[in-house]
Amino acid sequence: MIWLTLRQFRTQAVTGFAAIAVLAAILAATGPGLSGAYASGRSACSATGDCSTFTGQFFDDHQAVFLALIAVVLILPALVGLFWGAPLIGRELENGTHRLVWNQTITRTRWLTVKLALIGLATTAAAGLGSLAVTWWSKPIDNSAADELPRLSPLVFGARDVVPVGYAAFAFALGVVVGMLVRRTVPAMAATLAIFTAVQIAVPLLVRPHLLPPTRVTTAITGANLKSLMADGADGPIQLRLKAPEPGAWILSQHTIDASGRPADDIKVSLTSGPCAPTQGTPTKQACMAEINRLGYRQQMTYQPPDRFWPLQWSEAGLYALLALALTALGLHRIRRLP
């Protein structure tokens, strides 16, 4: 069974691991230069005491490659489910070759167990190697993007460290079970992609924020922590957003409250007269923030602190591992009842 499984899987394995090897080689060749440029730039700007300009420019210069690598790691588990998982049983059922295989001395349960074990191991190895290489290469950019795209943000979090391994294991098991139920390769691939995409959208929105209890704070509105301020017309209400209370935190929600503690959809401050009116064409930010605070406005924020990164990584990876195990058990149960 081991020989047969490796022989059937060799084309997909060679193609997949060759692509990962090429990616790893490119990252290994360019990574030290990227890290050196970031270290030298940080050293130079630290002498002046202000590195915000450097880090912003460094992120802008490498943003395209940074986002492309995130996309690669996020797509890899889906490809595993499509091309390694869905055809595993679906193609046998579609072509009718299962009738020959399942009438040999090897039981169908053992046949499936060996396939799941070997190809599942290859799946987790491929996802782990790809994630490891991209995480290592991206570390300087992650550091420079802590304010705009922290590691805990949904876009970056799913492409770092151990969670891609959980995604790949789930996608593979999902593809196997869907192929077993649908019995046709191409429809099974389409269904696997649809279900996996839906889960990948739902988990960051509905599950991940609640894996650990979030932190809630009420903070003053100052020029130092102000991120954006928008006004609807000259006398219109003001809406604002603050920076994360801790660098690298994942803000889940924030809203303004008034002096009595009730939610305020907007801040009613005049922009044509008083401290928030423009002075020689520009508003005086500090005076305006002082006026907003005098009126009793505060900002309530709910967020996950940056030190929750690894607990959330292990929690989510464990969740996907449990889903993969449940699908595996379903597949082993189902295959005994297939005609």
Side-chain angles (χ1 to χ4, degrees):
M1 271 307 305
I2 294 175
W3 176 87
L4 177 62
T5 300
L6 293 177
R7 184 173 179 83
Q8 290 180 318
F9 181 60
R10 61 184 177 181
T11 301
Q12 298 99 309
V14 168
T15 302
F17 281 99
I20 293 174
V22 170
L23 174 65
I26 295 173
L27 296 180
T30 58
L34 179 71
S35 182
Y38 180 77
S40 61
R42 286 286 300 186
S43 178
C45 69
S46 296
T48 64
D50 182 14
C51 286
S52 58
T53 301
F54 165 74
T55 55
Q57 187 61 49
F58 187 85
F59 177 69
D60 290 342
D61 291 343
H62 301 91
Q63 183 176 5
V65 179
F66 177 73
L67 295 176
L69 288 174
I70 288 176
V72 168
V73 179
L74 293 178
I75 290 172
L76 179 60
L79 295 178
V80 165
L82 288 178
F83 296 103
W84 292 7
L88 188 69
I89 309 298
R91 182 174 294 143
E92 298 273 7
L93 295 172
E94 184 176 16
N95 295 335
T97 52
H98 67 290
R99 296 186 181 92
L100 173 64
V101 175
W102 294 350
N103 283 304
Q104 306 302 311
T105 56
I106 300 298
T107 65
R108 62 178 69 182
T109 300
R110 182 180 175 186
W111 177 82
L112 180 59
T113 300
V114 173
K115 283 182 170 289
L116 290 175
L118 291 179
I119 303 178
L121 180 61
T123 292
T124 55
L129 291 173
S131 174
L132 177 65
V134 172
T135 299
W136 170 79
W137 188 90
S138 302
K139 186 175 181 180
I141 309 178
D142 284 341
N143 292 335
S144 68
D147 290 335
E148 297 298 326
L149 278 176
R151 289 195 306 164
L152 275 174
S153 63
L155 181 64
V156 181
F157 183 87
R160 294 290 178 268
D161 296 297
V162 299
V163 291
V165 178
Y167 299 162
F170 167 70
F172 172 68
L174 175 66
V176 171
V177 172
V178 171
M180 193 180 300
L181 297 175
V182 175
R183 302 190 180 199
R184 295 179 64 85
T185 303
V186 174
M189 294 171 71
T192 299
L193 179 61
I195 296 171
F196 181 74
T197 302
V199 172
Q200 288 293 82
I201 294 173
V203 169
L205 294 176
L206 304 176
V207 179
R208 189 185 301 160
H210 308 291
L211 287 174
L212 295 175
T215 300
R216 294 178 174 85
V217 296
T218 301
T219 183
I221 301 168
T222 67
N225 64 11
L226 181 67
K227 183 176 182 178
S228 66
L229 186 149
M230 297 175 291
D232 186 10
D235 265 331
I238 295 175
Q239 295 180 336
L240 55 83
R241 288 290 180 267
L242 299 189
K243 298 176 183 176
E246 303 176 50
W250 176 26
I251 298 178
L252 304 176
S253 65
Q254 60 172 303
H255 61 272
T256 306
I257 59 174
D258 59 21
S260 63
R262 292 186 298 240
D265 294 333
D266 48 58
I267 298 173
K268 297 177 174 59
V269 177
S270 175
L271 298 178
T272 56
S273 61
C276 290
T279 301
Q280 296 181 348
T282 58
T284 305
K285 184 165 66 173
Q286 294 297 337
C288 186
M289 294 301 101
E291 175 66 9
I292 290 174
N293 278 278
R294 186 190 68 79
L295 295 172
Y297 290 107
R298 297 290 186 271
Q299 198 79 346
Q300 282 190 344
M301 307 181 74
T302 302
Y303 68 99
Q304 291 287 359
D307 59 4
R308 301 272 180 86
F309 177 80
W310 277 110
L312 286 171
Q313 280 269 318
W314 289 114
S315 297
E316 187 163 322
L319 172 64
Y320 275 90
L322 289 175
L323 291 174
L325 288 174
L327 288 168
T328 299
L330 175 61
L332 292 172
H333 172 77
R334 176 66 180 170
I335 200 169
R336 293 195 296 267
R337 285 157 177 77
L338 288 176

